[in-house]
Amino acid sequence: MDIRTIELKKTILEDNDKDADLLREQLKETRTFYVNVMSSPGSGKTTTLVSTIKLLMNPTDGKQPLKVGVMEADIDSDVDAHTIANETGAASVQLHTGGMCHLDAEMSRQGLREIGYEDLDLVFLENVGNLVCPAEFDTGAHAKAVILSVPEGDDKPLKYPLMFEEADVVLVTKIDAMEAFDFDPDRFRKNLAGCNPDAPVFFLSGVTGEGVAEWAEWLRDKVENFLDNR
């Protein structure tokens, strides 16, 4: 008797990829640029988003303010959503994953509907904190940003290659603590080049503000190019 074998993970991923492509097309119609931010817990995702959003919503160089929203994904709690809303004034919604370690396209769609994405230029997803599961699931985002903090070490592209392969941009945070940890920027760039030689890298400090303006300008360019060429 022949037994049919179904590769469930492959099927689930393929179905999600199709849904993610559909979501990207829907976001084109509303002129909403969607960014998936991924990292380990404690890397500084929320702190980085706060400083970035302030520059995008309240530019001091005469540029057009962007309308920004943030979806905070966690297994539990709403701490980060309150932080974003209170410190930036950006639209913010908390997504509880019910124990799941990632978001997929349909979860994104639910959160986007709740946040009112039709009226926003840019929506960030602060994904569930880990360097494994979120890399496998397409959320429908137009860009993927991976954050690595200095205390985590410069070898992470070697240990979690898929996450860094998927990155459109890499942010290295907490660089003000560089002297306290054995983190070598050149060694990190070499490790990253082994899996993603084309990803731009920004070195940031939430304490001093170093590098945030450069990263925010890179992101603004991506948003404006999307709005011009949707």
Side-chain angles (χ1 to χ4, degrees):
M1 179 178 179
D2 293 332
I3 301 297
R4 184 182 179 189
T5 301
I6 301 173
E7 299 293 341
L8 292 178
K9 182 177 180 180
K10 181 178 179 181
T11 301
I12 290 170
L13 291 175
E14 287 176 348
D15 289 345
N16 181 67
D17 288 347
K18 293 176 183 177
D19 194 25
D21 288 338
L22 177 60
L23 177 56
R24 271 186 286 272
E25 289 302 313
Q26 293 170 340
L27 292 171
K28 276 187 180 181
E29 295 303 313
T30 60
R31 296 170 59 84
T32 306
F33 192 72
Y34 181 27
V35 180
N36 180 11
V37 182
M38 300 176 285
S39 78
S40 298
S43 66
K45 287 194 298 296
T46 305
T47 299
T48 299
L49 286 177
V50 166
S51 58
T52 303
I53 291 167
K54 287 179 178 179
L55 289 177
L56 295 174
M57 291 183 65
N58 303 287
T60 58
D61 53 7
K63 293 187 177 180
Q64 184 73 19
L66 295 180
K67 293 175 288 185
V68 181
V70 182
M71 301 188 299
E72 291 286 348
D74 280 302
I75 292 174
D76 207 343
S77 93
D78 57 5
V79 173
D80 291 339
H82 281 293
T83 298
I84 292 291
N86 293 336
E87 295 194 24
T88 71
S92 181
V93 64
Q94 187 74 48
L95 307 180
H96 285 167
T97 65
M100 297 185 70
C101 60
H102 66 275
L103 261 72
D104 60 20
E106 177 54 28
M107 295 175 189
S108 288
R109 184 177 285 106
Q110 293 178 47
L112 287 163
R113 282 198 298 261
E114 184 66 27
I115 206 171
Y117 69 94
E118 299 93 340
D119 299 322
L120 300 174
D121 302 311
L122 169 64
V123 175
F124 291 103
L125 166 64
E126 183 175 333
N127 214 318
V128 180
N130 74 82
L131 291 175
V132 182
C133 303
E136 297 185 342
F137 286 84
D138 191 340
T139 62
H142 301 104
K144 301 174 185 177
V146 174
I147 297 179
L148 176 74
S149 66
V150 162
E152 293 176 78
D154 52 36
D155 61 348
K156 291 303 174 287
L158 303 178
K159 294 184 176 182
Y160 303 96
L162 180 60
M163 175 62 75
F164 290 91
E165 287 171 9
E166 291 289 316
D168 295 297
V169 60
V170 177
L171 312 180
V172 178
T173 60
K174 305 185 182 181
I175 61 170
D176 48 281
M178 195 86 74
E179 293 184 3
F181 296 90
D182 183 25
F183 189 103
D184 184 328
D186 292 333
R187 189 165 59 213
F188 171 74
R189 289 183 183 276
K190 180 179 179 181
N191 291 338
L192 178 62
C195 60
N196 191 344
D198 298 323
V201 180
F202 293 92
F203 290 85
L204 314 179
S205 170
V207 174
T208 68
E210 182 179 349
V212 178
E214 291 79 5
W215 144 244
E217 187 61 26
W218 179 91
L219 185 56
R220 176 182 285 277
D221 287 344
K222 290 291 183 183
V223 175
E224 291 180 349
N225 184 65
F226 170 79
L227 295 177
D228 291 340
N229 298 284
R230 68 182 182 88

